[in-house]
Amino acid sequence: MKKLVYLFLFVGIFGCKEAKPRKPIKVNSGSFYKQTIERNKQLLADEEKAIQHIIKKDTANTYINSGSGSWFYYNIKNNEDNYTPKTDDLVTMSYALMTFSNDTIYSNNDIGIVNYKVDKQQLFKGLRNAVKLLKEKETATFLFPSSLAYGYHGDENKIGVNQPIKASISILKIDKQSINSEN
């Protein structure tokens, strides 16, 4: 019996080996991510080149850089007001989406009148930024690269993968929220 206890004690102490870490079966070098980054950079460069081509060809309008990656010109400018929408304001607007070759994707009638609470509701990134640049009763046409539009996913309907878009946006009314109007 004593020998059995010593045997268990001996096996217990010396039987446990130190755990060895397992090596990964597959090692990722990160090349997939590097290729994706390079492809996206090239896509953006191509889309920016297309935007600059449109701007150069359109001598009737003066384009303004939005500062967030899109370009726009005013169809109707409101020189009387100075207020642009702030976070939490309720904006009533309409907009239409087109391809860079002016083919209509969604018309104003397709989309309808939109009530948008600034920075609190989902719109594509370019449209969220554009709304904050316009005043009440202004209409502008924006050129968005696909990264500011619907990106690599599209809208799963009429807007394809990595499709840059043109948008005509009209701000019909801005309801200022009390927090913003006090400041």
Side-chain angles (χ1 to χ4, degrees):
M1 172 91 169
K2 227 177 185 183
K3 288 183 181 182
L4 194 58
V5 171
Y6 286 126
L7 180 64
F8 282 124
L9 186 61
F10 181 77
V11 170
I13 291 173
F14 296 106
C16 297
K17 293 183 179 179
E18 192 173 312
K20 290 183 182 177
R22 293 182 289 166
K23 294 186 180 186
I25 296 169
K26 182 178 178 184
V27 177
N28 289 330
S29 65
S31 64
F32 172 75
Y33 297 111
K34 290 175 187 173
Q35 290 171 349
T36 302
I37 290 168
E38 289 306 314
R39 187 181 70 239
N40 288 341
K41 284 181 181 179
Q42 185 60 49
L43 177 66
L44 182 60
D46 291 345
E47 290 174 355
E48 287 176 348
K49 189 184 289 184
I51 289 171
Q52 291 305 316
H53 178 73
I54 291 169
I55 291 170
K56 187 176 180 180
K57 209 167 106 177
D58 184 3
T59 57
N61 295 301
T62 303
Y63 285 82
I64 302 165
N65 186 336
S66 71
S68 64
S70 63
W71 289 81
F72 72 101
Y73 64 88
Y74 288 101
N75 301 82
I76 301 170
K77 187 158 174 56
N78 178 352
N79 292 320
E80 317 243 330
D81 260 337
N82 288 326
Y83 188 79
T84 56
K86 310 285 186 256
T87 300
D88 288 328
D89 286 349
L90 185 63
V91 175
T92 304
M93 65 177 174
S94 67
Y95 65 96
L97 301 178
M98 299 152 278
T99 65
F100 276 4
S101 56
N102 291 321
D103 295 325
T104 300
I105 301 171
Y106 294 108
S107 69
N108 286 339
N109 293 335
D110 293 337
I111 298 170
I113 302 295
V114 176
N115 292 311
Y116 168 63
K117 190 158 187 140
V118 178
D119 292 334
K120 301 296 180 181
Q121 289 175 268
Q122 285 292 11
L123 294 174
F124 66 87
K125 187 176 182 176
L127 187 55
R128 288 193 312 261
N129 294 334
V131 166
K132 294 186 233 176
L133 296 173
L134 301 176
K135 299 177 266 185
E136 195 169 277
K137 298 179 183 158
E138 281 189 332
T139 299
T141 299
F142 284 79
L143 302 173
F144 298 116
S146 63
S147 59
L148 293 179
Y150 288 88
Y152 68 90
H153 200 265
D155 76 340
E156 298 182 354
N157 195 7
K158 294 181 179 180
I159 298 174
V161 174
N162 292 325
Q163 183 176 355
I165 59 173
K166 184 185 283 192
S168 176
I169 305 166
S170 297
I171 303 296
L172 306 173
K173 185 177 179 188
I174 301 172
D175 288 326
K176 300 175 191 174
Q177 297 304 301
S178 60
I179 296 170
N180 290 332
S181 60
E182 290 174 2
N183 292 335

